[in-house]
Amino acid sequence: MKIWLLLGLLLIHEALEDVTGQHPPKNKRPKEPGENRIKPTNKKVKPKIPKIKDRDSADPTPKTQSIMTQMMDKGRFQKPAATLSLMAGQTLELRCKGNKIGWSYPAYLDTFKDTRLSVKQHERYGQLTLVNSTAADTGEFSCWGQLCTGYVCRRDEAKTGSTYIFFTEKGELFVPSPSHFDVVYLNPDRQAVVPCRVTVRSAKVTLHREFPAKEIPANGTDIVYDLKRGFVYLQPHSGHQGVVYCKAEAGGKSQISVKYQLLYAEVPRGPPSTTISASSNKVKGGDDLSILCTVLGEPDVEVEFRWTYPGQKDERPVTIQDSWRLIHRGLGHTTRISQSVLSIEDFETIDAGYYICTAQNLQGQTTVATTVESS
């Protein structure tokens, strides 16, 4: 019994020595009071990458969305492509969303006040309908919303729609021209266009000079072909003058266009260059008087004349005759001369005074005057 008691006391003693004699590991240090007791870790943390918003969504510029739709068969609608090909004879119906819609379409339809074209404004959309379409209707059809304040409206550039439509007609590779011969003026300060437009989108089109007979290459630097406009002379000069025509090939068939006379016109753009002269600045009673107002300008720019004269308030009878013609000024340069002649028969005292001529073109107007006395 004593032996077992001694052995038990001995085991307890050794256990107490192990507990009190335990030392901390060499790589650890005792914690200081208040020190964070969360063990550091070597676990790799994947950094969070902030999401970048799509560039378009951050762009403050409003997006332009097409407001145009095309009426298909069975009452279906779809947004038209940038270019469409339709067979001549088909009915075209376009709609554009908005309660005030403006329209643009080939000038041919406006020039002849074509009854085949109908444009209507409904409560929520504008509607354009073209029936019995022909190859001549080929061109750009566009619409836009209008922002109106009272009676003044402006175009809403954020709400537009457009499509270029080829109306394919048997035997017509080119958009028909109202004449068999046309004149294209070459100005050194702007592009010139030979309007060889086709009705078949896939047609191959070439430009040719009549004499000497040869093909004129559209090299992309001097001359380019634009499907919607024709052959574009980027920097016209006098060497481009002459008679040209176009040739189109499609589906194993070919066609020649009308001929175009290219004339070089070196006249500065701006208000009319105007002069005035009288048959005499001293006129006897009973004699005839004529005042000539002359403008030199670009061949394709029209000029309008207005007159102010002494007997106008008294409704003195006068004759006014306007005319114009093209003149060649050497080196192939062509100018348009426009004239207005005011004539008076049996000159009277009330006809003496200032004769004022005002000439106006698209760039502005010019006023000139001369004095006529009674002798």
Side-chain angles (χ1 to χ4, degrees), residues 162-173:
S162 68
T163 183
Y164 188 94
I165 303 178
F166 298 89
F167 288 99
T168 304
E169 187 172 350
K170 186 177 180 180
E172 294 285 1
L173 291 182

Side-chain angles (χ1 to χ4, degrees), residues 45-77:
V45 179
K46 186 177 180 180
K48 292 184 179 180
I49 301 175
K51 292 183 179 180
I52 300 175
K53 292 184 179 180
D54 184 71
R55 184 174 57 182
D56 293 338
S57 63
D59 189 356
T61 305
K63 293 182 178 180
T64 301
Q65 295 183 350
S66 176
I67 60 174
M68 178 181 287
T69 57
Q70 180 191 1
M71 174 76 165
M72 309 300 290
D73 56 341
K74 298 180 181 179
R76 295 186 301 109
F77 289 89

